[in-house]
Each structure stands twice: as structure tokens, then as C-alpha cells.
């Protein structure tokens, strides 16, 4: 790999680079940064213009913070608010667990800052540019109805749950879990939901759960995972949110007026996450549920590992499924088990009642969330 920038072929008809990354969420930016830091010339494209919104609880674990720092991008977290506790409510039961771990940061802020870090590292960034991989493994880029073609030795797919970059390729179909929840969320004005600074406030109800956290600006990020049938039964998304927030909803007017956004079904995995010259990372490789607040961490760690691998190995796709599994299998299994428990609010209430008297096991479970997997098989890329 050479560190010169990508270039156009002599006839100017196609852009050529070592690594192309599709999607500039946390997974894509981490991949682009890691590849560029390892000496590759990198193209990063996203169909959105930044800053862009994303339905997310905006809580980043310590492992996510460490991974961003290892990429030399700690500046992206300058405004983040430290988190110190989780408060879980279910019916009349509640449990507050101390957990000095992770930060809250608005996705608009974090994602835009990471794209800027990638640009500073020499990555060619193209926003408002949609990409798809053609069957011959070239990339078709569309920006403002203008089409162009790019060629990369390795393409990293980081286009999230709703991406379309792999639609023309066979073998990458999604397997979606039968009882999958869908997500929705918004940002509400300060004080419209009861939630102290530095605390993650979760409420588990029949058919789903909802979380709130104060962002550095004082606004409240609200995000939920819900059974699609429960959402259909409510009159509107805002009515469902109001109901799920219960007594913590302080400003019904703000909740009704907010612009709520939804997601596709959440619990899913790809039939495959690698093929010759292609690695799939972040949500685009699979997702479980948001309760443990680890999605961005999985996105950043898998993105960074794929970027470093793509820059240093000619057949990175051969190693990728093993590396990806080592990074995500344990935490995803834990998250899947927890999501089953959360589908039984009566059982959750019993657990919270036990936790009021014996909090230690709950505290140690909470502090395990977002912990670094034991095997971290890809060395961190250079940060200089
Ligand atoms: C309700 C809810 C709450 C959550 N709460 C948390 C939390 O508190 N903490 C946490 O860590 N995680 C949380 N998550 C999960 C987290 O949001 C995701 O795991 C994370 O955003 C994944 O990052 P990504 O980079 O893989 O994908 P994304 O952030 O989705 O980025 C994908 C990007 O790809 C772009 N794109 C798509 N298709 C194309 C294309 N064809 N061409 C070019 N660009 C394309 C999109 O515009 C987008 O910018 C939550 C999720 C939900 C649904």
C-alpha cells in the first residue's frame, strides 16, 4: 500500500484507491481512519450530508472511547458528558446502579467529528454520494444524479441496517429474527423528560423499552426498541413514546411535536460478511438490540480492525469472519440473552426487586457491558 492519495485513471473515467469505505457512521469512519493510518489511500462515501441524524441512545462505552483514542481521534469526544449510573424502571420497581463508564455524545456531533478526523488523516471524503457494489466489484457512485465509477483493492461496507450497497451482489442476504423489535427515537428539549445529567434512564414496558440520556447541550436523547405490533396499536409514534416514558415524561407537548424517526427491524445478521475484496462491518454485518448501548462500540472496533486488515493484507476477506467473530460474538450473545429477559416485564420486575436488596451482581453485570473482548486479534494501527 502506498500513502499517496487515490487518483483517476489516465482517461479520467474511474477513481482508483486502495480501500473504499461505504457509509460514514462510526464503523465507516473508524475503518477509513485505520486504513489511512496504516498507509492506504482511502475513499469514504456517505449518501447523507453531514451533520445527519441517526436514531441512537448516544451512549458510548469505555471500550468505544478507547478505540476512538487508539485511532488518534480523541478530539471527536471533547464535548462528551461522562456517565455515572443506570436507572432502570419497570412498573413500580426501579433500580439505580452506579457505573462510572462511558460517555454521552450527540450522534450528529460524534459522526461529523469522526468524518473530519478521517479527512485530516488524508482520506478522500465524499458526502451526499450514494454507492453500490456492482457484480464486477467496481463501485457505482451517484452524487446529485451524476454517476461515476471507482475501483478499490478492498471495499469495506459500513452502510448500516438500511444500506443498499450490497443489493446487486448475491450471498449477502439478511436473516432477520422472527420476534425482532424496531427502533425509534428523537432529541427532545431540555427538561422534557426526567433524566439527571450523567444517568442512563431506562424504562421497560410490555412490548419494548425506552431510554433517555442528557446530551452535553442539555437536550434529551430518547430512543426505544419496540415490538412492531405494539407500535401499530398505538395511535402514533409520539403516543407510543409518551406511554412508554410514563411518569418520566414531563412535557407532553414537546413529545407530541417532536420529529420521531424509525429504524428497520433490528435483530439481524448477514448470510456472509466477506467475499473476495469485500469486508462488511458495523450494523451492516449484523445487530442485536440497543439495551446494552454497545452498537457504536461494535461498529468502531469492527471498523477499525477491518480498516487495518484491508490496508495490510491482500486477502483480508479470508481472515475477516474469524476476526469479526472474536470481536463481537461474546457481547452479542450476552445482548441476545438480555433481550429475551426484557420481553418478560414481570420477570424484570422480580429481578429489580431482588436487585434492591442484592445490588452487587447487577452492578458487576452493568460494568461488564462494553468491556473489551479478551481476544483483540488485530493490532492497533499507527496513530501518527
Ligand atoms: C433505538 C436505538 C438506540 C441505540 N442506542 C445506542 C447507544 O446508546 N449506544 C450505542 O453504542 N449504540 C446504540 N445504538 C446502535 C447504534 O446506533 C448503531 O449500532 C451504530 O450507529 C452503527 O454504526 P454504523 O456505522 O455501523 O452504521 P450507521 O451509523 O447506521 O451508519 C451507516 C451510514 O451509511 C450510510 N449509507 C447507507 N447506505 C449507503 C449507500 N448505499 N451509500 C453511501 N452511504 C450509505 C448512511 O447514510 C449512514 O450514514 C442504538 C440503536 C437504536 C436503533
Amino acid at each position: 500500500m502506498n500513502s499517496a492519495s487515490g487518483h483517476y485513471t489516465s482517461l479520467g473515467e474511474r477513481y482508483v484507491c486502495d480501500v473504499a469505505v461505504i457509509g460514514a457512521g462510526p464503523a465507516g469512519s473508524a475503518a477509513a481512519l485505520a486504513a489511512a493510518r496504516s498507509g492506504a489511500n482511502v475513499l469514504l462515501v456517505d449518501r447523507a450530508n453531514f451533520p445527519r441524524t441517526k436514531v441512537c441512545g448516544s451512549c458510548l462505552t469505555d471500550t468505544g472511547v478507547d478505540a476512538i483514542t487508539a485511532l488518534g481521534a480523541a478530539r471527536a469526544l471533547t464535548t462528551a458528558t461522562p456517565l455515572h449510573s443506570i436507572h432502570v424502571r419497570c412498573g413500580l420497581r426501579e433500580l439505580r446502579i452506579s457505573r462510572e463508564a462511558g460517555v454521552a455524545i450527540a450522534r450528529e456531533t460524534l459522526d461529523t467529528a469522526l468524518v473530519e478526523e478521517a479527512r485530516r488523516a488524508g482520506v478522500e471524503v465524499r458526502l451526499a454520494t450514494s454507492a453500490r457494489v456492482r457484480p464486477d466489484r467496481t463501485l457505482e457512485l451517484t452524487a446529485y444524479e451524476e454517476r461515476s465509477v471507482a475501483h478499490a483493492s478492498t471495499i469495506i461496507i459500513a452502510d448500516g441496517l438500511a444500506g443498499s450497497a450490497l443489493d446487486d451482489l448475491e450471498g449477502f442476504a439478511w436473516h432477520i429474527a422472527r420476534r425482532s423489535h424496531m427502533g425509534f427515537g428523537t432529541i427532545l428539549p431540555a427538561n422534557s423528560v426526567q433524566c439527571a445529567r450523567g444517568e442512563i434512564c431506562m424504562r421497560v414496558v410490555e412490548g419494548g423499552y425506552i431510554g433517555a440520556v442528557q446530551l452535553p447541550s442539555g437536550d434529551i436523547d430518547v430512543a426505544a426498541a419496540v415490538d412492531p405490533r405494539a407500535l401499530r396499536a398505538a395511535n402514533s409514534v409520539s403516543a407510543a413514546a409518551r406511554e412508554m416514558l410514563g411518569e418520566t415524561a414531563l412535557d407532553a407537548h414537546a413529545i407530541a411535536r417532536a420529529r420521531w424517526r424509525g429504524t428497520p427491524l433490528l435483530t439481524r445478521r448477514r448470510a456472509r460478511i466477506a467475499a473476495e475484496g469485500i469486508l462488511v462491518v458495523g450494523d451492516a454485518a449484523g445487530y442485536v438490540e440497543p439495551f446494552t448501548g454497545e452498537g457504536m462500540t461494535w461498529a468502531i472496533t469492527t471498523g477499525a480492525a477491518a480498516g487495518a486488515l484491508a490496508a495490510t493484507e491482500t486477502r483480508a476477506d479470508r481472515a475477516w469472519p474469524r476476526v469479526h467473530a472474536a470481536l463481537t460474538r461474546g457481547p452479542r450473545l450476552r445482548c441476545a440473552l438480555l433481550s429475551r429477559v426484557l420481553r418478560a416485564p414481570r420477570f424484570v420486575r422480580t429481578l429489580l426487586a431482588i436487585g434492591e436488596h442484592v445490588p452487587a451482581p447487577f452492578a458487576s453485570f452493568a460494568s461488564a457491558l462494553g468491556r473489551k473482548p479478551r481476544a483483540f486479534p488485530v493490532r492497533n494501527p499507527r496513530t501518527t
Side-chain angles (χ1 to χ4, degrees):
M1 300 281 168
N2 65 74
S3 52
S5 37
H7 57 275
Y8 285 92
T9 50
S10 51
L11 294 176
E13 80 280 21
R14 66 170 60 186
Y15 187 81
V16 180
C17 59
D18 297 324
V19 178
V21 184
I22 304 181
S29 289
L33 265 167
R37 304 271 194 229
S38 301
N41 55 62
V42 185
L43 170 68
L44 173 64
V45 298
D46 199 293
R47 67 183 173 195
N49 236 330
F50 281 51
R52 59 105 176 84
T53 51
K54 161 80 180 80
V55 174
C56 185
S58 296
C59 300
L60 182 65
T61 68
D62 271 347
T63 304
V65 171
D66 288 351
I68 287 176
T69 307
L71 285 167
R75 217 174 352 199
L77 298 169
T78 315
T79 60
T81 306
L83 294 167
H84 54 66
S85 55
I86 307 179
H87 189 171
V88 184
R89 291 181 172 91
C90 184
L92 297 175
R93 295 284 174 193
E94 57 185 296
L95 182 64
R96 185 177 268 120
I97 302 162
S98 260
R99 175 181 170 249
E100 303 269 344
V103 296
I105 182 164
R107 285 297 298 268
E108 285 90 335
T109 312
L110 176 64
D111 292 15
T112 307
L114 288 176
V115 168
E116 273 319 303
E117 290 297 327
R119 214 192 291 266
R120 270 194 210 105
V123 172
E124 162 87 9
V125 177
R126 297 201 198 162
L127 302 177
T129 302
S130 165
R132 54 200 299 149
V133 185
R134 303 196 300 199
D136 66 357
R137 300 286 196 270
T138 55
L139 277 182
E140 182 180 290
L141 306 177
T142 309
Y144 304 104
E145 294 180 10
E146 289 261 320
R147 292 215 173 144
S148 62
V149 177
H151 181 272
S153 307
T154 306
I155 302 170
I156 297 180
I157 308 294
D159 62 350
L161 295 178
S164 52
L166 288 171
D167 285 2
D168 295 342
L169 294 196
E170 279 181 18
F172 289 94
W174 283 114
H175 295 303
I176 299 177
R178 204 168 40 87
R179 291 184 64 204
S180 176
H181 282 357
M182 58 185 292
F184 67 85
T186 195
I187 309 290
L188 293 173
N191 302 320
S192 38
V193 173
Q194 188 188 329
C195 187
R197 198 170 185 80
E199 186 156 88
I200 302 171
C201 307
M202 303 296 302
R203 210 160 172 277
V204 181
V205 299
E206 207 64 57
Y209 47 89
I210 193 160
V213 74
Q214 245 192 63
L215 295 172
S217 63
D219 289 347
I220 311 282
D221 182 308
V222 178
V226 65
D227 183 332
R229 289 169 302 183
L231 201 55
R232 274 195 297 273
N235 275 338
S236 62
V237 176
S238 61
R242 168 79 187 73
E243 178 76 23
M244 292 173 85
L245 286 165
E247 73 283 2
T248 65
L250 302 179
D251 185 344
H253 191 54
I255 294 168
R257 251 189 354 207
R259 181 150 185 223
W260 295 89
R261 292 170 192 277
T263 73
L265 294 170
L266 298 170
T267 308
R268 53 174 65 211
R269 63 183 173 78
R270 291 258 186 210
R272 67 204 283 206
I273 57 162
E276 190 171 350
I278 297 176
L279 313 181
V280 189
V281 302
D283 279 9
Y287 187 59
V288 189
E289 275 193 25
F291 195 88
T292 62
E294 294 174 287
M296 282 192 279
T297 300
W298 298 335
I300 296 159
T301 52
T302 59
L309 205 60
T312 51
E313 305 276 331
T314 35
R315 285 299 305 269
D317 58 290
R318 290 194 176 131
W320 184 238
R322 183 179 50 79
V323 173
H324 185 270
L327 289 168
T328 58
R329 195 168 32 208
R332 284 192 186 196
L333 187 60
R334 183 179 57 208
C335 185
L337 290 173
L338 184 60
S339 70
R340 290 196 167 208
V341 172
L342 293 165
R343 277 163 175 67
R346 265 173 73 177
F347 185 52
V348 174
R349 283 195 289 278
T350 307
L351 287 177
L352 295 183
I354 295 169
E356 283 168 22
H357 300 287
V358 196
F362 296 87
S364 68
F365 179 78
S367 67
L369 301 180
R371 198 186 284 156
K372 206 172 271 176
R374 255 178 300 146
F376 204 76
V378 175
R379 67 188 160 74
N380 285 336
R382 282 183 287 123
T383 56
T384 51

